[in-house]
Structure formats: structure tokens, C-alpha cells
Amino acid sequence: MSEYPSTQLPTAPKTSRRLRTEDCIVVDKRDLRKAQIGAGVGNFIEWYDIGIYGYLALTMTSVFTEGMDQRTGLLVTLLGFAVSFIVRPLGGMVLGPLGDRIGRRKVLFFTMALMASATTIIGMLPTAGQVGLWVLVPMYLLKMLQGFSTGGEYSGAATYVAEFSPDRHRGFWTALLNTGSQLGFAAGAAVVAVTTMITTSVWGETAMLDGGWRIPFLLALPLGLLAISLRKRIPESPSFEAAQEKADVENTNPIFVRQNLANIVRLYWPQILVGIALIAADGTSSYTVTSYMPTYLETQVGMATVYTAVATVVILLLQALIVPVVARWSDRIGRRPVYAVAAVGNLVLLLPAFALMHVGEVWSLYLALFMVSLPSAFFLALTGAAMSELFPTASRYGGVGLTHNLAISLFGGTTPLVSQILVEVTGNSYAPAFYVMFFSAVALLALLKMRESAARPLLGSVPVVASHEEAAALVDGQDTDERIDTSTMLLAPAPTVSASHASA
């Protein structure tokens, strides 16, 4: 099977141009660490916000939908969570191509500032008891601003780190973004739990409703300022800079040209469909663990908020440790086998896990959450690398931004709302499990059309290596290395040999 349908992704004709050691990008380890920290802090804050909103869902229902029936109010609150994902594709469509034009670093700086500002302002909104249900309008608008910024945040961070990482270790380095995401969500849940315990012990049982809920949101301001400070110091992606330098000289092949959104869809629709299928499975699985489980356990199982928050923090910390281990494994054996393990894991483990939840004991809660979170960790380990490997450098940010955000908006961010509706409509408490299992089955089918991309140079880029010795070894073995295809690389012209030197 060819790597891409020839009618969809034009490739340059095979060339006799050979790879030279000077063509390879040798990554500076200090710059790589700075890039990882600067990019990762944004994902941490993104999931911190998701965490606090998810764990405060019932409190937010009382605060912002006062006077409504509680069931209706909960759906309205969850709609506030989902509405931020409605505009995520718009953020990806605008910020992705912009990042391909002006650089990854500048766009990531903007997304961080916008995200931190919107989260902080939510913590300053009046309550429905003070101004009525009209407060839902600014809350939804702020959630939409968060969604717009997030539309460029993860796709930009994944693109940036993938282009900065040595090819043989790209899975590991990009997976650290999702480790940061899990830690961010865990931090959000922990802040909610600690805030609840402290405020209720000092001001009484209604402390969170009386204003304690604001504290986790207002903490986004100092976190955002720290993130902005870190992002000021990160360098631009070396692969992006190399492609920019050569694009004006060698731009006849479409994979080396910055494409607009319409051309990205026209040229790369097979990769987009594969990516959407994989992210749909990833998103439904991940958001069930992080954003719906608190509500599900409280409303369907009757667990107290503090118990679910503490249990999820423990599980997410464990997930954060598993993700880079699985990613390193995928660097060795490939992305496709690990994706298959993740999808099959959901098909096998979810129904027993949901049955364990309804036992209602603390031990069953922890075991059930671990069973739900394990396949999710496998999916998360691959997301950043696999999405970046689908598209060429010139249009990577735009391609990843469109694909990831469209799938997350349609299937990930709506998971809490859709899952709750399925439970309400069907009366079946296992409906959320079946919902996730369906998308895992679709992902297995998508794997049949996915190219293996682990440890290969990114499309449209030259090899990225960790040392000059690795570059020399790669060049020496290029004739027998199936991962090296110079037709997908922007290589500098070979040096000309003068007539006198040739005759000598």
C-alpha cells in the first residue's frame, strides 16, 4: 500500500539528490528543553481550566442557573463546556494557517494570553442571583474565546515540539505535552478539592456557592503570566525556519508550499479523515475520564464530590506517568500497533469498568477509573506525534489545527453533554461506555489507511537528529534505510563542481 493516494498528495519525482550530513538538523538540547517547557505550560493551563469547570459543574449549575430545574440547569452548564468546543475549529482554521505563515512561536504567545484572560474574567462574573440568567451570555462568550484560543494552542504546541524533536524520539517529546495536560487537569481537580475543603471549614457548607468557586478561576491569572514569560524565551521551530529559507527557491511541489485552508482540504483529505477518526476515539475516551466522570459518579453512582476529585487526581497522575512510557514504546515499534492496543483496550475494558463503578465502594471506584483511563493514556501518548506526522511542514499547523479541532469539537468536547443526554434519554447508565466503544471501533478501521510514521523525518522536512554522529550514520545508511525519501525533503542544491576541479 502506498503511503498516500497519488491523486491526493502530490509528491516530487524521485531524485538522484543524496542526503548530506549538513542537510540534517542537529537539535540543541538546551533549546529543546526550553521549547518543551514553553509549549507544555500552555497545555497545562488549558487542561487546568477544563478541570476546574468539570469539577465545579454542579456548583456552577447553582451559581449560573439559579431558578432553573436542577436537571435542566446541569445540561445548560454542560452546554457552557461544549460551546467552547464549537468554536475550536474556527480557532484552528484561523490560527493554524497563520502559524504556517508567521511562525509557531508568535501564535502560541497570542493563544496563551487570550486563554488566561478569558479564564480569569469568568472568575469575576456576577451570579444569576445577582443579575439573572443573562449572566449565561457573557459566560458562554468567554467560553467561546477560550475555545478559539485553544483551537490554536494544542495543534500549535504539538506542531512546534514535533518539529523540534529528533525523529527517533518525536513520540516521547510530543507526548510530554499530554503529560502536562494530565497534570494540568489534576491540578485543576486538586485546586477545586483543596478550595472546597478550606472554604467550607472556614466559612461553612455554602462557602463555594457564596464565592469560593471564583478562586480556581482567578488563579489562571498568575499561571498565565508565568506561561507568557516562558514563551517569550522560546526559539522558533528549526524545521519551520529551514523550510522558510528554502521555500522561495524551491516551491514547485505542493507539499513544500504553504496552502490555504481550501487547498489543505483538497490535497490532504485522506489524512484529515484518518486523523478525525483517531482523535474522535481519543477525545471521547479522554474527555469521559477527565470531564464527564465527576458528573457521572455524582449523579449516577452517588459518590461525593471530594471522593471523585481525589480519585481522579490519583488516576490522572498515574496516567501522566504512563503516557511518556507508551510514547517511547511507539517510537520503537510504531504508532499503528499502539493505536490498535488503545482501541481494543476500550472495547474490552469499558463495560466491566462501568459495572465496577456501580458497586459504590472506594476500591471499586479506583479500579474502575484505572480501567477507563488506561486505553485513554495509550491514545494520549500518540496524539501530538501522529497528527504532526500526517501533514508536510509548510501546511502542518493548518492541517493539524483543522483536523484535531474539528474532531475534538464534534466528538471530544461534546462527550459530557452527549453522554448525559444518552443516559437521560435511554435510561441506560452504560450508554456512555457504548458511545466511547463505537469510536474506538471506527479508529481500528482508520488504522488500515494510516501510514506508519514513527522515527521517519517529517514530511517536507529534512531529518532532525540528536547529534552529528547520528547524522553521519543516517547519511551512510540512506541507500538501505526505507525511512529516508529525499523526494519529500527540501534539500539545498548540491554544490557545483568546477570544470578545472573535475578534470583534475
Side-chain angles (χ1 to χ4, degrees), residues 34-46 104-113 115 149 152-154 156-158 160 177 224-236 397:
K34 287 168 60 178
Q36 179 63 57
I37 294 171
V41 70
N43 287 282
F44 178 93
I45 294 176
E46 173 192 346
R104 287 62 164 121
R105 179 180 176 274
K106 293 177 181 177
V107 174
L108 287 174
F109 185 86
F110 169 76
T111 59
M112 188 70 267
M115 187 188 313
S149 65
E153 174 60 37
Y154 180 79
Y160 178 73
L177 291 173
L225 292 175
L226 173 62
I228 290 171
S229 174
L230 289 172
R231 285 197 170 171
K232 282 183 178 179
R233 306 173 189 176
I234 62 175
E236 185 53 88
Y397 200 160

Side-chain angles (χ1 to χ4, degrees), residues 218-492:
L218 295 177
L219 286 176
L221 180 59
L223 288 174
L225 292 175
L226 173 62
I228 290 171
S229 174
L230 289 172
R231 285 197 170 171
K232 282 183 178 179
R233 306 173 189 176
I234 62 175
E236 185 53 88
S237 152
S239 294
F240 172 79
E241 289 186 324
Q244 288 287 92
E245 290 173 3
K246 300 169 187 172
D248 293 334
V249 178
E250 186 177 351
N251 60 3
T252 56
N253 189 328
I255 71 169
F256 302 135
V257 178
R258 289 192 302 268
Q259 304 292 347
N260 59 31
L261 191 63
N263 282 338
I264 288 174
V265 174
R266 179 176 63 85
L267 292 170
Y268 309 129
W269 67 264
Q271 295 91 294
I272 291 172
L273 291 179
V274 168
I276 287 175
L278 296 176
I279 295 301
D282 175 3
T284 53
S285 182
S286 299
Y287 282 87
T288 293
V289 175
T290 57
S291 303
Y292 183 59
M293 275 296 99
T295 300
Y296 183 86
L297 290 168
E298 291 172 34
T299 60
Q300 302 300 312
V301 182
M303 300 293 290
T305 302
V306 172
Y307 288 127
T308 60
V310 172
T312 306
V313 168
V314 173
I315 292 299
L316 289 176
L317 291 176
L318 182 60
Q319 224 181 18
L321 295 175
I322 294 172
V323 163
V325 175
V326 174
R328 191 180 291 277
W329 187 40
S330 79
D331 281 330
R332 290 198 299 267
I333 71 168
R335 315 289 185 228
R336 296 176 69 196
V338 179
Y339 263 129
V341 171
V344 172
N346 271 335
L347 295 174
V348 172
L349 295 177
L350 283 191
L351 289 179
F354 271 68
L356 275 172
M357 291 177 201
H358 287 270
V359 172
E361 300 290 340
V362 174
W363 68 266
S364 65
L365 169 66
Y366 278 88
L367 181 57
L369 286 177
F370 175 73
M371 292 169 65
V372 174
S373 67
L374 189 59
S376 172
F378 275 61
F379 276 120
L380 288 170
L382 304 180
T383 302
M387 291 303 104
S388 299
E389 290 161 353
L390 286 174
F391 303 96
T393 299
S395 303
R396 181 168 296 119
Y397 200 160
V400 176
L402 173 65
T403 303
H404 185 265
N405 289 298
L406 190 61
I408 283 293
S409 297
L410 292 175
F411 309 112
T414 57
T415 293
L417 180 63
V418 172
S419 295
Q420 186 64 22
I421 290 174
L422 287 174
V423 171
E424 297 283 349
V425 171
T426 66
N428 186 341
S429 60
Y430 289 75
F434 289 113
Y435 184 67
V436 176
M437 291 165 66
F438 169 78
F439 288 104
S440 291
V442 173
L444 282 176
L445 296 177
L447 288 178
L448 299 176
K449 295 295 184 181
M450 178 184 175
R451 71 188 285 267
E452 183 52 69
S453 51
R456 297 172 182 265
L458 290 168
L459 289 168
S461 292
V462 296
V464 180
V465 296
S467 66
H468 292 285
E469 292 76 16
E470 184 181 344
L474 197 66
V475 170
D476 289 342
Q478 64 182 293
D479 293 325
T480 57
D481 192 341
E482 64 175 8
R483 297 170 301 175
I484 301 300
D485 180 3
T486 56
S487 69
T488 66
M489 302 177 189
L490 264 179
L491 301 176

